[in-house]
Amino acid sequence: MKKDRKNKPTKKKEETEYIFMTDIDGTLNLEDKKLNQAFKTIRKSGGKIAVISGRTIGDIKEEFAKRGLVLPNFIAGDNGACLYDTKKKEFIFRKSLQKEKIKKIMEYYKKIGGNPDLIRYTDGYKIHASNQKEVKEYYKGKKTVDCCTNLQNKVTKENDITKITLAGSQTQMQQMAEFIKELGYWTDTGATKFPNKNNYQRLDIAPDYSNKGQAVKTINKVLRPEYGYACYGNDWNDASMFKQAIKDNMRIFIMGNAPQELIKEVKDYAMKMKKGKVHIISDNLDKANKAIGRMARILQQKQANNEFKNFVRKKGEERFRDGLRVEVKDFKGQNNNNNTSIPRRPYLKESEEK
């Protein structure tokens, strides 16, 4: 006898009111105990947390677990090359480098005198590095790092490599960046202490179509938050994230320790687009935590007052009530209209969402 499914209760879809998307390094203070409370408040108030970082998925999960922090709902690792759903424990997407191009990169790195022990690559979840003594010491205690032999040969045979990181002199990394640009891949350079040195530069290499902005776009499309999202970051690899938020008319928070050229570029972009709301916050890491904490309390208060549910939307109506939202200012957490409103998600036509 077949079971009658007509009266079977359907599982209610979990609604998302707001998303907090944030970088880690240089933006958050993970040692701040109040940050965890803010994360809990966000989750209880119908909000979601997404960490978007240059780190791997496994490294971020390990770091949050070690500090007893609430695990983010989503993690975008390797600067947006992959996106991971922590509840389902699966990748939403993972974009890989091409084997032929990886081989060319390794050959050129060797040609300019690159040290094979300074090669690292990730599969989105784990880091793979050399088993050289200094490298093993650098990653001591890390469970999501695989230190192996003959790494330079191994990297050319692996599938699903989402990012390669090279290290060397500034001249070497400049040469590599110019070479890789011709291959059509995205690069990011900066100082590194890997492996326990102070005079090295590092070069991250990822598919050109992989960036934090794409991760933001995907998360927003998957969750469809009722009242939008906010982004927090401090460096050039956050630029695409900031610009995507501005396109969506959302709120962004740039740390004061960000390069001044980046701050200017983002401000100019917001003014050009005549969208978004830009805040420059203190370079004190605790300030980013406080900004998130304050926005979390605003979300909690609005839910408690049932303000979300009472909002009536007319078909095709633009859902922003206060006009253009371009505003650049220092975020001090004042209790005024400019800093307590949560921007609503704009109405999008079907063609605009693709």
Side-chain angles (χ1 to χ4, degrees):
M1 182 178 179
K2 293 183 179 180
K3 293 183 179 179
D4 183 9
R5 297 179 181 272
K6 290 184 178 180
N7 298 321
K8 187 177 180 180
T10 57
K11 189 176 180 181
K12 187 178 178 181
K13 184 180 179 181
E14 186 180 359
E15 295 182 354
T16 301
E17 306 286 17
Y18 203 70
I19 314 173
F20 292 75
M21 308 200 203
T22 180
D23 174 44
I24 300 179
D25 299 311
T27 300
L28 295 181
N29 178 4
L30 298 181
E31 296 179 358
D32 179 13
K33 294 181 180 179
K34 292 182 180 179
L35 179 64
N36 206 37
Q37 184 56 50
F39 283 170
K40 289 179 180 178
T41 299
I42 290 167
R43 298 288 278 277
K44 288 179 181 178
S45 303
K48 295 288 192 298
I49 305 159
V51 164
I52 305 178
S53 172
R55 299 193 193 187
T56 60
I57 306 298
D59 183 43
I60 294 170
K61 287 182 67 178
E62 185 178 355
E63 183 82 10
F64 273 62
K66 182 176 71 175
R67 299 179 183 279
L69 291 169
V70 172
L71 193 64
N73 302 90
F74 291 92
I75 302 174
D78 295 335
N79 292 314
C82 52
L83 181 61
Y84 186 82
D85 185 324
T86 59
K87 185 177 181 180
K88 295 181 179 179
K89 297 182 180 180
E90 64 183 25
F91 283 97
I92 294 175
F93 66 76
R94 179 166 47 179
K95 300 172 182 177
S96 305
L97 297 163
Q98 296 176 13
K99 277 189 175 183
E100 311 83 58
K101 292 186 178 181
I102 291 174
K103 188 175 181 180
K104 290 180 180 179
I105 291 169
M106 292 299 102
E107 288 174 350
Y108 190 76
Y109 182 62
K110 183 179 180 180
K111 180 180 177 181
I112 64 172
N115 183 347
D117 288 327
L118 301 183
I119 299 171
R120 292 170 285 172
Y121 71 90
T122 84
D123 56 13
Y125 198 90
K126 293 181 70 174
I127 296 172
H128 301 267
S130 165
N131 68 345
Q132 194 261 352
K133 184 178 179 181
E134 280 188 309
V135 174
K136 290 172 73 175
E137 184 64 28
Y138 182 84
Y139 284 120
K140 187 177 180 179
K142 289 285 186 180
K143 297 178 181 179
T144 55
V145 178
D146 173 32
C147 292
C148 50
T149 59
N150 200 9
L151 190 74
Q152 192 169 13
N153 183 50
K154 185 179 179 181
V155 70
T156 60
K157 297 180 180 180
E158 286 285 345
N159 295 316
D160 295 325
I161 292 179
T162 53
K163 184 179 73 173
I164 294 175
T165 300
L166 305 175
S169 69
Q170 186 172 0
T171 301
Q172 286 176 322
M173 295 304 98
Q174 286 175 346
Q175 289 176 312
M176 287 302 306
E178 290 172 5
F179 176 77
I180 290 162
K181 185 178 180 180
E182 295 178 1
L183 296 178
Y185 281 160
W186 173 92
T187 62
D188 181 60
T189 59
T192 182
K193 292 183 178 179
F194 172 83
N196 298 318
K197 302 287 185 181
N198 294 316
N199 58 344
Y200 281 154
Q201 289 279 311
R202 57 116 183 110
L203 178 73
D204 290 337
I205 307 162
D208 191 50
Y209 45 82
S210 300
N211 58 56
K212 292 189 178 186
Q214 286 295 323
V216 167
K217 189 175 182 179
T218 301
I219 294 168
N220 188 38
K221 189 173 182 179
V222 169
L223 292 179
R224 297 188 62 80
E226 183 70 14
Y227 283 76
Y229 62 86
C231 290
Y232 302 75
N234 78 311
D235 212 341
W236 282 107
N237 62 352
D238 299 316
S240 60
M241 174 173 71
F242 291 144
K243 290 180 179 180
Q244 182 61 48
I246 289 169
K247 285 180 184 177
D248 291 341
N249 220 357
M250 294 293 121
R251 187 188 296 262
I252 67 173
F253 293 81
I254 308 178
M255 295 293 293
N257 62 357
Q260 291 303 304
E261 296 86 353
L262 172 63
I263 293 175
K264 183 181 185 304
E265 183 174 314
V266 173
K267 286 163 60 175
D268 290 347
Y269 187 78
M271 296 302 292
K272 177 184 176 181
M273 298 295 290
K274 296 184 179 179
K275 290 182 177 182
K277 199 162 190 178
V278 181
H279 293 286
I280 313 300
I281 61 178
S282 169
D283 58 3
N284 180 338
L285 295 185
D286 289 339
K287 280 289 186 180
N289 293 6
K290 289 178 182 177
I292 290 176
R294 179 162 181 75
M295 290 291 286
R297 290 192 295 274
I298 293 168
L299 179 66
Q300 184 182 45
Q301 187 62 44
K302 283 186 174 290
Q303 188 194 55
N305 294 341
N306 205 30
E307 291 183 28
F308 289 144
K309 305 303 179 186
N310 291 335
F311 180 75
V312 178
R313 174 183 23 159
K314 296 179 182 179
K315 186 177 181 181
E317 179 186 26
E318 179 67 28
R319 296 172 64 185
F320 291 88
R321 295 289 180 85
D322 51 356
L324 298 178
R325 305 185 66 84
V326 178
E327 181 179 347
V328 180
K329 65 187 299 180
D330 183 43
F331 184 81
K332 299 181 184 301
Q334 305 103 314
N335 186 14
N336 58 47
N337 291 332
N338 289 330
N339 283 336
T340 57
S341 63
I342 289 185
R344 300 180 174 90
R345 187 178 187 277
Y347 173 82
L348 295 175
K349 295 179 181 178
E350 186 67 27
S351 61
E352 293 174 323
E353 290 186 327
K354 294 180 181 179

